[in-house]
Amino acid sequence: MAAAHRKKGSTPTSRFHIGRKGPALKFLGSFIGLMLLFYLLYYSSFYQILLSGPIESAQAAISGALLRALGFQAAVTGDAISGGGFSVQIAKGCDGIEPLAMFLCAILAFPIVWRLKWPGLIAGTLVLGLLNIVRITGLFLAGLYIPSAFEFLHLHGGFVLFTVMAILVWMTWANWAIKRLRSPSQNAT
């Protein structure tokens, strides 16, 4: 009976052996690294002073315009929307930036050519931005018409649903990108 000889440290159970899991571990490591960079920016004074306020005010202005287009009385002051005896303020953590960052970091970390990343970065940002405006508008309407449900929807439903949407948009992009990469017509270009 022949004995199999392996170099020390090359066994499949070795903690240094990556094998077929290499791309997945590389993706995960890149994703975590990018998310850490995002959070360094997100909690920096630069973000707090220069970016947070304008982003939240823009979201309030667009959501207020949508509400008015739908026939509701909605006044916007900075990052707050009010009307009908109810008001909502868009604050950090409720601005949808974290799920958007998760989506963008997942695309950037995904091991695929850049020409397939750009459409996902642009289209996904637009889709998630639109979905966030719909979420903010829906929360305002929930607060106006179903005040007892507002807190649950705000704290759990809105954030969790938006995060799930970000994951679904990423999965849709990844599926599209992999199909494009494997398409014979794409490989010829």
Side-chain angles (χ1 to χ4, degrees):
M1 182 179 227
H5 295 287
R6 295 183 189 199
K7 290 184 178 181
K8 187 175 182 177
S10 68
T11 64
T13 57
S14 169
R15 62 184 164 140
F16 297 107
H17 180 75
I18 295 176
R20 302 179 106 196
K21 296 178 184 167
L25 290 175
K26 184 179 177 184
F27 167 75
L28 185 60
S30 297
F31 175 75
I32 290 169
L34 289 168
M35 285 302 293
L36 288 172
L37 288 174
F38 161 73
Y39 279 113
L40 284 173
L41 171 66
Y42 191 63
Y43 288 108
S44 71
S45 57
F46 170 79
Y47 184 88
Q48 299 298 320
I49 295 167
L50 297 176
L51 299 175
S52 186
I55 289 170
E56 294 157 4
S57 294
Q59 291 175 339
I62 296 167
S63 298
L66 177 59
L67 285 163
R68 288 189 296 277
L70 294 172
F72 296 95
Q73 297 293 324
V76 176
T77 306
D79 59 2
I81 307 168
S82 59
F86 180 76
S87 68
V88 66
Q89 181 179 9
I90 301 166
K92 185 175 178 179
C94 300
D95 54 10
I97 297 298
E98 289 174 284
L100 175 62
M102 181 182 66
F103 167 79
L104 295 173
C105 290
I107 286 183
L108 292 173
F110 198 73
I112 202 161
V113 295
W114 275 97
R115 69 180 163 80
L116 296 175
K117 289 184 183 192
W118 289 109
L121 292 169
I122 294 167
T125 299
L126 293 173
V127 166
L128 290 172
L130 177 62
L131 287 173
N132 193 46
I133 295 302
V134 169
R135 179 183 70 89
I136 292 167
T137 303
L139 283 172
F140 178 83
L141 293 174
L144 195 60
Y145 292 107
I146 316 166
S148 61
F150 175 81
E151 207 55 38
F152 175 80
L153 291 173
H154 172 245
L155 294 176
H156 305 292
F159 181 78
V160 171
L161 184 60
F162 192 65
T163 301
V164 168
M165 290 304 298
I167 293 168
L168 290 175
V169 172
W170 177 79
M171 289 173 63
T172 301
W173 167 81
N175 188 42
W176 170 85
I178 290 169
K179 283 182 181 179
R180 295 280 296 208
L181 189 65
R182 292 181 179 165
S183 169
S185 63
Q186 286 296 312
N187 291 334
T189 58

